[in-house]
């Protein structure tokens, strides 16, 4: 049986997690990775949050239409059928898509539906995307460009 839904915390609007995008971010619960030093241990329990079925997701996409440019998922790759379903709906709304994962790789099926991908587990001794020596990578998939530099304090966009 393919499960086409998962639970999520209420979505939030984010301005920094995907450079140059205003993102509607969904934190998916049930994370099996359990990274050491995880700052989101409340996401480990799959029963936490609300069910993010297609009707609920569609409601959020319609509610924020014209206000956001990207849909961001913090996790969810452990349920690829449900995540692919949501990514496809976001694309139909003309939105860019992003996945933050603690894994180093995700399936090509997911990559085909993503514009941006952040990979790499949190390692306290290496830090996050803003650190030079981080193991984490933020990639613009269409170009293959590594965008970690956009998370550093000294980076300023030029208009």
């Amino acid at each position: 049986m393919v499960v086409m839904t998962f639970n999520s915390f209420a979505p939030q609007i984010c301005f920094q997690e995907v450079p140059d995008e205003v993102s509607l971010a969904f934190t998916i619960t049930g994370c099996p990775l359990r990274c050491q030093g995880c700052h989101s241990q409340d996401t480990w329990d799959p029963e936490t949050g609300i069910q993010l079925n297609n009707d609920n997701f569609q409601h959020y996409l319609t509610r924020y239409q014209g206000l956001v440019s990207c849909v961001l998922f913090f996790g969810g790759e452990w349920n690829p059928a449900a995540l692919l379903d949501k990514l496809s709906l976001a694309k139909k709304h003309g939105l860019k898509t992003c996945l933050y994962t603690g894994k180093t790789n995700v399936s090509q099926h997911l990559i085909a539906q993503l514009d941006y991908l952040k990979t790499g587990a949190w390692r306290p001794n290496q830090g996050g995307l803003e650190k030079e020596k981080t193991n984490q990578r933020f990639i613009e998939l269409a170009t293959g460009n590594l965008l970690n530099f956009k998370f550093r304090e000294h980076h300023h966009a030029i208009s």
Side-chain angles (χ1 to χ4, degrees), residues 4-73:
M4 298 300 281
T5 189
F6 38 42
N7 283 2
S8 166
F9 292 127
Q12 296 181 303
I13 302 295
C14 298
F15 299 98
Q16 297 179 324
E17 284 73 6
V18 182
D20 307 319
E21 305 289 346
V22 177
S23 299
L24 181 60
F26 293 88
T27 301
I28 306 304
T29 63
C31 182
L33 300 179
R34 291 171 167 62
C35 301
Q36 181 181 357
C38 175
H39 61 70
S40 301
Q41 292 183 19
D42 55 341
T43 67
W44 294 1
D45 181 356
E47 301 302 316
T48 303
I50 57 165
Q51 186 181 74
L52 189 62
N53 59 33
N54 285 353
D55 289 340
N56 292 344
F57 187 66
Q58 187 74 38
H59 165 77
Y60 288 121
L61 294 180
T62 301
R63 179 177 175 188
Y64 290 98
Q65 191 167 354
L67 302 173
V68 299
S69 58
C70 184
V71 175
L72 166 61
F73 289 92

Side-chain angles (χ1 to χ4, degrees), residues 130-142:
E130 76 286 356
K131 301 292 185 186
E132 293 273 348
K133 298 189 190 243
T134 186
N135 62 298
Q136 298 182 334
R137 298 171 48 84
F138 190 94
I139 303 162
E140 181 179 36
L141 293 167

Side-chain angles (χ1 to χ4, degrees), residues 79-145:
N79 189 338
L83 185 55
L84 280 168
D85 206 31
K86 306 302 177 283
L87 292 170
S88 176
L89 281 170
K91 289 286 190 184
K92 286 178 184 169
H93 275 260
L95 296 166
K96 292 182 182 176
T97 55
C98 181
L99 171 66
Y100 267 55
T101 178
K103 294 182 171 186
T104 53
N105 296 299
V106 296
S107 78
Q108 287 300 313
H109 296 293
L110 286 174
I111 287 174
Q113 293 296 318
L114 291 168
D115 294 288
Y116 303 99
L117 177 63
K118 193 282 309 176
T119 59
W122 166 254
R123 294 195 181 130
N125 61 331
Q126 290 181 294
L129 290 167
E130 76 286 356
K131 301 292 185 186
E132 293 273 348
K133 298 189 190 243
T134 186
N135 62 298
Q136 298 182 334
R137 298 171 48 84
F138 190 94
I139 303 162
E140 181 179 36
L141 293 167
T143 62
N145 289 336

